[in-house]
């Protein structure tokens, strides 16, 4: 006769086997004969319960107790392929030991965050890049009316063609067109940004405070203003001395290029970012352009700081003087110790 306590323990083992099997099914995706295994476990549990006598009744003789059915290997196999991770047990392996507590559900894999767009280079966001210079330009504006194509124009011809210029909005607030001044056969040309208040009143470039500093710089180089030529990118004063705008530069630039074609200098000194960026088609800040020889239409070009900037930042005068000393060497001038 079987002991009821032994039957109860065997039933508990069956239930535990079933629980472990269900956990295994959950790990393997639930496609490994889950229904058949559960059915077998249920049948075995029912058989065991039938063997157990009611409470207070005598246990039946051992001969009358049906033998517990042995679990079969499997029923009809699932036709779908069963994925088996490397860590999951195979059907032939022994079931894992029962854990003390149900394992925590696995967290879904974290999604890979989308890659953020690359940050713009700091140079592109620099406040010094104030103009949108065109990336391509003709060698010079081409033959102007009254100028024979293929011949070297004169400054007088270009000035007559400029006339009472109304090609951009700067004409509405100006008092005088500031064309340029100096030697028409100068080998050294200084190109600035645009006229200021005093320049607008007198019609002559660089005669205000910045002009006085430029005159000292020219003299320190061993030249006089009468020996060089001075002009600007735009020929009319921007209101309130603001920066010239792209459309204003585009309207005036052909006349600047025609001036340089007429002069055909040996060296051009570009004073400040607007002159350097316009002639070089390079938006690099003047702080990085300055001091490095460049070339404009076969002519050596030295970018440096604008005199107005040097008045605001006198600590930069030493760098500007170093730039001008490089120009002096081209003309065989001996750099001095002036700053």
């Amino acid at each position: 006769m079987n002991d009821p306590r032994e039957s109860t323990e065997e039933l508990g083992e069956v239930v535990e086997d079933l629980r472990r099997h269900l956990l295994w099914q959950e790990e393997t995706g639930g496609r490994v004969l889950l229904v058949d295994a559960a059915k077998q476990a249920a049948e075995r549990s029912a058989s065991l319960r039938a063997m157990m006598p009611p409470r207070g009744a005598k246990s039946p003789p051992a001969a009358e107790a049906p033998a517990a059915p042995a679990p079969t290997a499997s029923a009809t196999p699932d036709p779908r392929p069963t994925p088996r991770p490397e860590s999951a047990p195979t059907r032939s392996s022994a079931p894992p030991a029962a854990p003390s507590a149900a394992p925590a559900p696995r967290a879904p894999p974290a999604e890979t965050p989308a890659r953020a767009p690359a940050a713009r280079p700091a140079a592109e966001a620099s406040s010094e890049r104030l103009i949108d210079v065109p990336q391509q330009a003709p060698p010079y504006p081409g033959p102007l009316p009254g100028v024979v194509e293929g011949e070297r124009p004169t400054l007088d011809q270009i000035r007559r063609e400029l006339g009472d210029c109304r090609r951009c909005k700067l004409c509405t607030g100006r008092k005088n067109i500031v064309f340029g001044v100096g030697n028409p056969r100068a080998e050294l040309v200084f190109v600035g940004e645009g006229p200021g208040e005093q320049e607008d009143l007198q019609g002559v470039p660089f005669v205000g405070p910045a002009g006085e500093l430029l005159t000292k710089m020219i003299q320190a180089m061993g030249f006089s203003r009468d020996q060089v030529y001075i002009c600007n990118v735009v020929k009319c004063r921007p209101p309130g001395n603001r920066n010239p705008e792209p459309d204003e530069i585009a309207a005036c630039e052909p006349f600047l290029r025609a001036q340089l074609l007429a002069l055909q200098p040996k060296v051009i000194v570009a004073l400040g970012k607007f002159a350097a960026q316009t002639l070089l088609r390079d938006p690099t800040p003047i702080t990085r352009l300055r001091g490095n020889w460049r070339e404009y239409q076969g002519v050596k070009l030295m970018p440096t700081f604008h005199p107005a900037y040097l008045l605001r930042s006198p600590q930069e005068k030493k760098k500007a003087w170093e730039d001008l000393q490089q120009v002096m060497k081209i003309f065989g001038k001996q750099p001095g110790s002036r700053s």
Side-chain angles (χ1 to χ4, degrees):
M1 178 181 292
N2 291 335
D3 188 350
R5 287 177 295 180
E6 294 178 358
S7 300
T8 302
E9 292 176 359
E10 187 174 357
L11 178 60
E13 292 176 0
V14 171
V15 174
E16 182 63 25
D17 287 344
L18 177 60
R19 188 182 69 83
R20 287 200 297 264
H21 183 75
L22 291 175
L23 289 174
W24 174 46
Q25 290 292 328
E26 183 179 356
E27 285 189 14
T28 57
R31 291 200 296 264
V32 188
L33 303 178
L34 175 62
V35 175
D36 294 335
K39 182 178 179 181
Q40 293 170 12
E43 290 175 353
R44 185 177 179 185
S45 175
S47 300
L48 290 173
R49 282 198 300 270
M51 295 169 56
M52 296 177 62
R55 289 186 179 181
K58 292 183 178 181
S59 299
E64 296 178 3
T72 57
S74 68
T76 305
D78 192 335
R80 294 173 296 177
T82 302
R84 295 186 179 181
E86 293 180 1
S87 59
T90 61
R91 290 297 304 271
S92 58
S93 61
S100 58
R106 295 183 178 179
E111 296 183 1
T112 303
R115 183 173 297 178
R120 281 181 153 194
E124 291 187 8
S126 171
S127 60
E128 295 186 84
R129 182 176 178 177
L130 299 178
I131 63 174
D132 184 15
V133 296
Q135 297 304 307
Q136 294 182 351
Y140 55 90
L144 297 171
V147 179
V148 179
E149 183 176 358
E151 293 185 3
R152 180 179 177 179
T154 66
L155 293 173
D156 288 341
Q157 288 173 315
I158 299 167
R159 180 63 187 88
R160 285 196 300 270
E161 175 58 27
L162 180 62
D164 184 25
C165 185
R166 301 282 167 178
R167 295 171 177 84
C168 79
K169 59 184 176 294
L170 291 181
C171 66
T172 60
R174 69 159 187 248
K175 291 183 173 57
N176 287 292
I177 292 176
V178 184
F179 182 70
V181 68
N183 184 353
R185 291 291 182 265
E187 292 186 316
L188 177 59
V189 174
F190 292 86
V191 179
E193 174 183 320
E197 182 179 11
Q198 292 300 316
E199 289 78 8
D200 182 43
L201 291 173
Q202 300 183 39
V204 179
F206 283 94
V207 291
E212 294 176 3
L213 178 56
L214 178 61
T215 299
K216 293 178 180 179
M217 293 164 64
I218 293 171
Q219 293 172 346
M221 296 174 69
F223 295 92
S224 66
R225 280 182 65 117
D226 293 338
Q227 293 177 300
V228 302
Y229 193 85
I230 306 171
C231 58
N232 286 305
V233 172
V234 295
K235 312 304 182 188
C236 300
R237 180 195 179 194
N241 291 346
R242 65 161 170 77
N243 294 325
E245 297 176 354
D247 61 317
E248 298 161 357
I249 293 174
C252 247
E253 183 188 8
F255 294 95
L256 169 63
R257 293 181 177 274
Q259 285 175 292
L260 295 175
L261 177 65
L263 291 164
Q264 296 186 7
K266 189 174 183 179
V267 176
I268 299 170
V269 176
L271 300 170
K273 59 179 172 286
F274 287 95
Q277 293 176 353
T278 298
L279 292 175
L280 296 176
R281 292 300 192 266
D282 188 343
T284 303
I286 189 63
T287 52
R288 295 208 303 268
L289 281 175
R290 60 146 293 272
N292 300 297
W293 281 112
R294 301 292 293 271
E295 190 173 288
Y296 166 79
Q297 300 299 319
V299 179
K300 286 182 174 295
L301 186 147
M302 173 58 68
T304 192
F305 294 124
H306 194 283
Y309 172 76
L310 296 177
L311 290 175
R312 299 191 303 269
S313 306
Q315 71 277 7
E316 302 288 9
K317 288 183 179 181
K318 181 179 179 180
K319 294 179 181 178
W321 177 238
E322 291 172 354
D323 302 341
L324 297 181
Q325 286 178 321
Q326 294 190 61
V327 176
M328 294 165 62
K329 292 178 181 179
I330 300 296
F331 293 98
K333 304 283 186 179
Q334 295 299 321
S337 58
R338 303 177 188 179
S339 57

